[in-house]
Amino acid sequence: MAEYRYYLIPDAMTRAFPEQFEKQTPTEFFDNIADLEKRYHQLRELPYNNERTWNERARFPYARLVVGVDRQNPNGAVAIIQVRNGINYLCDDYRGPYADRSDTRIPQMAEKLVEVIGVDRVRPHIYTQRDGYTWVQVEKDMHITEWLYAHELCSGLHFTRFLNRDGRELFQVRDGQRVIETNANGTKRLRAVKNIDVTHAYVGHFGCHIQQYADANFKSGCYVTPEHPQPGDNLDKLQIYQITADTDYRFMRYSYAQDRIRAADYSSVYLANLPRDYDLEKCFREFNAPNRPCSRHMRSLSVSDIVVIEHGGKEQALYVDSVGFQDVSHLLPELHELAAQRQKEQVQEEPER
């Protein structure tokens, strides 16, 4: 009679590249899913599971932490979940040509494993028989909700869509995962997410409508991202800097200020997810309107302010001139460095709890 158990490989990359590691991590076996889950959570947030890796041949990140189902008598093991670049991928080997399709126990255990651990993405494989050979075609990397066979193992998973102010989807977060809320001054909050229904969710302890949550964040100046971003996530950003130091070029046109501008004279006063089709003229009008965003914590957008727009991973910094805007992207490295330093100082000044 066949015997079944769960298995876990702490880091599969130590086996792919043994010359780069002191030793290969051994396979660990578990008779019950509760012990496996406990061990998984011990390992999941370790830094190596969130490292950026890339397999040039496969055009895919390398697998790190791996969990699956092991069968003895007859022997067989099936990988079910692989952590790649901080994302849980479903491994579809359980339905491949070498899987024992008559064994119903493995899919049952795999479904339980997915329910307890959770998956976010899959890179499906299609197998065809031709000329006596098995040919494999690797499909595109996709969110698990897009996969044709997601109902087989993943029907128990729930995801919450996060929207931009304009209703555009930014990203999806699975129950139990977290989002990062970042304020203009660099302070961050991690909030766990739990789905309520298609338009409502708990973000932290607060139940909210997903569109109202998006609107409130843009109004107050709060940039929201998933803790572990995925391919295709919209992480575009709008940030505004205003002069807070004693300078002689505050509210002055660029022709006067260009040789005086210093990043250290500025502070970040606004930060949010960038709406779709949000151009600089619209930004200027909106941040000068009576009901402008963040009106209690920043003055209206004025000459000498700097607007930073990040779109598709590319950043541009623009000085608000008396007419139009002037590119000052050369200040970006220093602005980032100052922001990191100020954030570090804030952490050091926080009292112990």
Side-chain angles (χ1 to χ4, degrees):
M1 182 177 179
E3 298 177 2
Y4 298 85
R5 55 186 177 174
Y6 295 102
Y7 77 84
L8 178 151
I9 302 173
D11 188 359
M13 201 167 173
T14 64
R15 303 183 178 194
F17 299 98
E19 68 281 359
Q20 297 182 16
F21 298 87
E22 292 183 5
K23 61 180 180 180
Q24 299 180 25
T25 57
T27 303
E28 303 174 18
F29 297 97
F30 303 85
D31 293 326
N32 64 79
I33 201 164
D35 290 340
L36 171 69
E37 182 184 13
K38 181 179 179 181
R39 178 61 172 154
Y40 165 84
H41 286 297
Q42 287 177 343
L43 297 169
R44 180 60 178 83
E45 295 307 316
L46 292 181
Y48 74 88
N49 275 313
N50 298 305
E51 287 177 355
R52 308 298 294 177
T53 65
W54 189 251
N55 185 331
E56 284 291 347
R57 182 184 63 80
R59 308 297 297 171
F60 201 47
Y62 286 102
R64 307 305 294 262
L65 174 59
V66 177
V67 293
V69 178
D70 179 66
R71 183 184 69 187
Q72 296 175 299
N73 301 320
N75 293 340
V78 181
I80 303 299
I81 300 171
Q82 301 171 332
V83 179
R84 299 174 180 266
N85 282 8
I87 302 170
N88 284 17
Y89 278 84
L90 177 70
C91 183
D92 64 348
D93 285 357
Y94 77 94
R95 61 184 344 274
Y98 307 109
D100 185 351
R101 303 301 291 271
S102 65
D103 188 341
T104 59
R105 184 73 187 280
I106 288 179
Q108 290 173 354
M109 293 180 69
E111 184 176 8
K112 186 64 177 177
L113 192 57
V114 168
E115 177 185 341
V116 171
I117 301 300
V119 296
D120 301 296
R121 303 188 70 82
V122 63
R123 196 184 192 194
H125 295 71
I126 296 178
Y127 301 90
T128 56
Q129 299 292 328
R130 189 169 70 247
D131 301 329
Y133 294 95
T134 299
W135 300 84
V136 60
Q137 176 181 336
V138 182
E139 294 193 312
K140 68 170 186 174
D141 177 354
M142 64 181 68
H143 195 273
I144 195 66
T145 56
E146 301 176 76
W147 189 42
L148 179 63
Y149 302 103
H151 62 280
E152 292 181 351
L153 300 186
C154 308
S155 58
L157 296 179
H158 297 280
F159 293 85
T160 294
R161 296 181 305 125
F162 280 77
L163 307 179
N164 210 337
R165 184 190 65 168
D166 51 25
R168 182 185 183 188
E169 183 174 307
L170 297 175
F171 50 83
Q172 295 191 62
V173 173
R174 172 170 43 85
D175 275 9
Q177 292 184 312
R178 300 183 296 184
V179 293
I180 304 172
E181 297 177 342
T182 306
N183 295 322
N185 63 3
T187 57
K188 300 177 184 290
R189 293 182 299 270
L190 278 169
R191 298 199 188 278
V193 177
K194 182 174 177 56
N195 182 268
I196 298 175
D197 57 35
V198 68
T199 56
H200 297 81
Y202 284 103
V203 183
H205 298 295
F206 303 100
C208 57
H209 188 285
I210 56 177
Q211 186 61 63
Q212 291 174 340
Y213 177 76
D215 294 342
N217 284 330
F218 191 85
K219 186 72 175 176
S220 63
C222 178
Y223 177 63
V224 183
T225 58
E227 184 178 18
H228 301 298
Q230 298 186 24
D233 286 349
N234 178 3
L235 306 180
D236 294 346
K237 184 189 303 181
L238 171 67
Q239 192 162 13
I240 297 174
Y241 291 84
Q242 295 182 332
I243 294 175
T244 53
D246 183 16
T247 70
D248 65 346
Y249 65 93
R250 188 181 186 187
F251 305 128
M252 300 300 290
R253 62 187 183 277
Y254 182 72
S255 59
Y256 175 84
Q258 60 181 328
D259 295 327
R260 296 171 171 84
I261 299 174
R262 296 173 61 251
D265 295 336
Y266 287 82
S267 294
S268 173
V269 294
Y270 182 84
L271 177 66
N273 298 86
L274 177 69
R276 178 175 46 188
D277 302 327
Y278 199 74
D279 60 28
L280 292 166
E281 295 299 333
K282 184 175 182 179
C283 177
F284 187 83
R285 290 194 304 271
E286 185 161 11
F287 280 85
N288 276 279
N291 61 341
R292 67 181 186 272
C294 212
S295 59
R296 294 184 179 181
H297 303 287
M298 62 173 286
R299 56 174 170 75
S300 60
L301 192 64
S302 306
V303 173
S304 77
D305 293 349
I306 293 176
V307 178
V308 175
I309 289 179
E310 182 176 344
H311 179 67
K314 296 181 179 179
E315 273 189 303
Q316 187 178 22
L318 297 123
Y319 185 94
V320 182
D321 207 350
S322 54
V323 178
F325 300 82
Q326 302 294 332
D327 193 307
V328 289
S329 297
H330 63 278
L331 294 174
L332 284 170
E334 191 177 352
L335 286 171
H336 292 321
E337 185 178 346
L338 288 168
Q341 181 60 35
R342 287 167 182 167
Q343 186 175 351
K344 183 178 179 181
E345 291 170 356
Q346 287 174 349
V347 172
Q348 290 174 344
E349 290 173 1
E350 288 183 357
E352 294 184 5
R353 297 179 179 180

